[in-house]
Amino acid sequence: MRISLSTFAVAGALSTASAQVYKGFNYGSTFTNNAPVTQQDFENRFNTAQQLQGTSGFTSARLFTTIQAGTTNSPISAIPAAIATRTQLLLGIFLSSTEEAFNNEQAALRSAISQYGQAFADLVIGISVGSEDLYRISPIGIENLSNPGEGPDVVVNRINAVRTLISGTALQGKPVGHVDTWTAYVNASNSAVIEACDFIGMDAYPYFQNTQANSIENGESLFFDAYNATVSVSSGKPVWITETGWPVSGPNQNQAVASLANARTYWERVGCRVFGQITTFWYTLQDAFPDTPSPSFGVVGTTLSNTPLYDLSCPDSSSSSASSGSSTATSSVASSGATGTSPEPSNGEAPSGPSNGEISLASSDSSNNEVSDGAASTTPPAQSPSITPAVPVASVKTVMTYTTITTCPVTYTEGTETKTSLTSSAVVVTSTHASLAGDFEFPHLIVPVDKNQPDTAANTGFNGIVSPTVSSIFNFDIPPSYEGRTCTSVFLFPTRESLQTSNFTLSGSGGLEVNRLVSPATAETTYNNQPAVEEAAGSIPDLQAGNSYTLVSGPCFAGERVPLKVSATGSLNLDYFQDFNPSPIGLYIIVC
């Protein structure tokens, strides 16, 4: 089924300065045997990308390091190659290593500015400080041996250091940002990195999301879930797609099959949707020289040629398909359950898959700052606005009947007075399915707390869980732009049969009780240290599948992080995967 990017995502993508859009591939500094890529090699690759049969416009390149492989701090030879071929550059500063290694990256950048001057500066579209560093120190990143990584404080400091370095040079004013997995960005503990960035680089690989239904048929929706999730937390900053792709060969990852046919399908359904609409760096042009990694993502094979391994043409209609729907789409905290991380090349190692049931592209570690073309990494799930399968968030086009949930105040006249009614009772839509419309917010963090394990922090999750002993706390980030508007909290609970990408288990009987807390939860929140209750925020006496419930309405807490704690009453046990894909399920705030 075809999927449409939400207006929200498109707005985020196209709100860059003058919204110039670039298209290119990722390029490592070494081949799969760790031999350095020379200037001539880069020129050959850049020229090949520009002359690929079936497509055009691949005139940009994303680099992972500024250092030429095999040297201490000499500028990477991709720079003179780019000047010779008129290839725009997204520069990369390798971050997750020693202070000395970072200093060498800075030294290489200074030398490049001095040596190549304005001819170099004219081709630079931005500087990425780091790549998947936040993912690498996450539990799943550590599990997949993707160290070294860095925390948000270090990433922010080094972003600022690079911005200071280029001040007063030919690169002054060039956007400085960071590249990471979308799950890293939606983790509120990393929000300082977003604030420090001029742009957000997002890596996502549905192929590696092996705890989900990740067949090629679902690749499109999984990818756009990740993209929209990143846009939703980007504070209006441009989100660039810095790595995505589908392997042409390699092992199966759950339902995902690496093949030429599936690589072509993913190119058409994802690449053709975003090319020309969102700055995109595909993974990858060539990763199979001299050896073929497993999996292999290369558009061309071992022999560098402008004849690709599969058809790179795009349907005529695809270029405009990224703008449909009328809502500000934000997605549920767990809408895709796992995000594929970009295959981040390093030393010719192939990407490794997730483990422990979490979707993760294990980034191979990069030693000696040499980054090659044959590796990928993975990220665990997080929230995400998404391209909803066959249905934009704001519209419905399936065989099911959907009831649009707006729950906005109704203005009416009583005598000579005009009054506004705020609904506070449950809205029942039995036998139909709710579809979110207009502006709405999804939770940016879900944390369960268990009184039977009062000092155990469950960390962030993607499921809402309530029982006689467990409650879940949902953090909502309300934008300052909602000042003066009305926010309504709703709980949507469709039948299991109407769900396309979610599920739930329900037992016992009872309802839900919702309270606003005095302060937000964090990943370290436990039952014993959870914030106190500020005020009641609605209740559902008898929770039944197939219904949508309005909890409470009032002025939006604009610019604040609003924590809502959901608890069970009676003997109710509910565990559901928060998702706004049809039919949306879970706790949301609708804005009027």
Side-chain angles (χ1 to χ4, degrees):
M1 292 182 288
R2 299 299 294 154
I3 296 170
S4 297
L5 275 170
S6 66
T7 301
F8 181 87
V10 173
L14 301 183
S15 64
T16 57
S18 300
Q20 182 162 2
V21 176
Y22 302 93
K23 182 170 64 172
F25 293 101
N26 288 267
Y27 297 88
S29 64
T30 63
F31 292 109
T32 56
N33 61 357
N34 286 332
V37 180
T38 67
Q39 178 178 340
Q40 188 59 58
D41 294 326
F42 277 118
E43 288 188 25
N44 292 342
R45 288 182 164 194
F46 294 164
N47 283 326
T48 298
Q50 294 174 19
Q51 299 166 15
L52 283 170
Q53 294 179 11
T55 189
S56 62
F58 281 86
T59 58
S60 299
R62 178 196 169 212
L63 307 178
F64 294 89
T65 177
T66 57
I67 299 175
Q68 175 61 22
T71 73
T72 300
N73 54 21
S74 297
I76 189 168
S77 59
I79 294 172
I83 295 172
T85 59
R86 299 301 300 164
T87 297
Q88 292 113 342
L89 294 174
L90 173 56
L91 299 177
I93 302 287
F94 189 75
L95 183 58
S96 293
S97 190
T98 63
E99 187 73 25
E100 180 184 4
F102 177 64
N103 290 339
N104 285 333
E105 289 280 351
Q106 294 185 94
L109 181 58
R110 288 191 194 94
S111 296
I113 296 170
S114 173
Q115 184 173 350
Y116 300 109
Q118 197 61 46
F120 165 48
D122 288 345
L123 296 174
V124 174
I125 65 174
I127 305 172
S128 170
V129 182
S131 180
E132 297 189 5
D133 307 275
L134 302 172
Y135 158 73
R136 292 171 188 271
I137 63 163
S138 68
I140 190 64
I142 295 171
E143 176 99 20
N144 284 286
L145 305 178
S146 56
N147 283 335
E150 296 290 357
D153 291 346
V154 172
V155 175
V156 168
N157 287 340
R158 292 185 175 175
I159 288 173
N160 290 335
V162 170
R163 193 174 281 122
T164 298
L165 185 157
I166 65 173
S167 178
T169 74
L171 293 185
Q172 179 169 316
K174 297 292 183 181
V176 180
H178 176 69
V179 169
D180 226 300
T181 61
W182 69 274
T183 53
Y185 291 122
V186 297
N187 184 335
S189 66
N190 295 325
S191 60
V193 174
I194 293 174
E195 294 307 310
C197 288
D198 299 320
F199 69 89
I200 308 300
M202 182 211 74
D203 297 348
Y205 290 83
Y207 166 78
F208 288 103
Q209 297 182 213
N210 62 7
T211 63
Q212 295 177 273
N214 68 332
S215 67
I216 189 60
E217 287 75 18
N218 294 328
E220 180 183 13
S221 60
L222 289 174
F223 172 80
F224 285 107
D225 279 351
Y227 178 78
N228 290 346
T230 306
V231 169
S232 74
V233 297
S234 66
S235 299
K237 297 178 180 183
V239 176
W240 294 352
I241 300 164
T242 40
E243 287 184 47
T244 195
W246 194 279
V248 298
S249 64
N252 292 351
Q253 290 285 346
N254 189 25
Q255 298 174 4
V257 177
S259 69
L260 289 172
N262 287 347
R264 160 61 190 169
T265 297
Y266 191 76
W267 177 277
E268 179 179 356
R269 293 181 181 178
V270 174
C272 292
R273 297 279 313 286
V274 299
F275 295 151
Q277 303 292 320
I278 303 166
T279 290
T280 301
F281 296 91
W282 202 257
Y283 193 83
T284 188
L285 176 68
Q286 184 189 43
D287 63 357
F289 181 82
D291 307 308
T292 301
S294 180
S296 174
F297 289 77
V299 167
V300 301
T302 301
T303 301
L304 192 63
S305 167
N306 62 6
T307 301
L309 296 174
Y310 55 89
D311 181 12
L312 301 183
S313 63
C314 289
D316 291 340
S317 61
S318 64
S319 62
S320 60
S321 66
S323 62
S324 70
S326 59
S327 73
T328 299
T330 13
S331 108
S332 81
V333 91
S335 95
S336 84
T339 68
T341 304
S342 63
E344 190 176 325
S346 119
N347 295 334
E349 297 177 11
S352 54
S355 64
N356 293 336
E358 294 195 55
I359 297 169
S360 83
L361 300 173
S363 297
S364 50
D365 61 336
S366 224
S367 61
N368 300 323
N369 297 332
E370 296 182 9
V371 183
S372 91
D373 287 335
S377 65
T378 294
T379 335
Q383 64 228 72
S384 68
S386 94
I387 283 194
T388 79
V391 192
V393 171
S395 64
V396 174
K397 299 180 181 177
T398 70
V399 294
M400 295 180 179
T401 300
Y402 284 78
T403 297
T404 298
I405 300 299
T406 56
T407 344
C408 289
V410 176
T411 302
Y412 64 98
T413 301
E414 183 178 287
T416 59
E417 288 187 79
T418 299
K419 296 185 176 181
T420 299
S421 170
L422 295 177
T423 306
S424 60
S425 58
V427 179
V428 179
V429 286
T430 307
S431 300
T432 63
H433 314 288
S435 174
L436 291 162
D439 293 342
F440 67 93
E441 293 297 319
F442 63 92
H444 287 171
L445 177 143
I446 303 177
V447 175
V449 293
D450 186 350
K451 71 178 179 181
N452 285 344
Q453 302 180 65
D455 295 311
T456 299
N459 212 316
T460 58
F462 313 107
N463 285 31
I465 304 170
V466 294
S467 73
T469 63
V470 178
S471 300
S472 287
I473 302 173
F474 299 73
N475 283 355
F476 290 86
D477 293 306
I478 309 301
S481 59
Y482 289 168
E483 182 71 39
R485 300 178 68 180
T486 296
C487 284
T488 302
S489 57
V490 298
F491 191 85
L492 309 182
F493 194 45
T495 59
R496 186 179 287 107
E497 293 73 23
S498 68
L499 297 171
Q500 294 186 18
T501 57
S502 184
N503 204 351
F504 67 83
T505 59
L506 176 67
S507 63
S509 61
L512 300 178
E513 180 180 274
V514 183
N515 290 285
R516 184 167 68 88
L517 305 183
V518 296
S519 60
T522 70
E524 288 73 43
T525 295
T526 67
Y527 181 85
N528 275 345
N529 68 17
Q530 65 181 304
V533 170
E534 175 80 13
E535 62 180 350
S539 64
I540 301 170
D542 182 24
L543 182 70
Q544 297 291 331
N547 295 337
S548 299
Y549 302 91
T550 299
L551 296 167
V552 69
S553 293
C556 294
F557 291 94
E560 296 185 26
R561 180 164 293 166
V562 177
L564 297 178
K565 178 182 176 182
V566 180
S567 304
T569 62
S571 61
L572 186 78
N573 284 267
L574 173 64
D575 185 344
Y576 72 89
F577 184 66
Q578 172 98 11
D579 191 2
F580 81 78
N581 287 307
S583 266
I585 181 172
L587 187 65
Y588 299 89
I589 292 178
I590 293 171
V591 186
C592 304

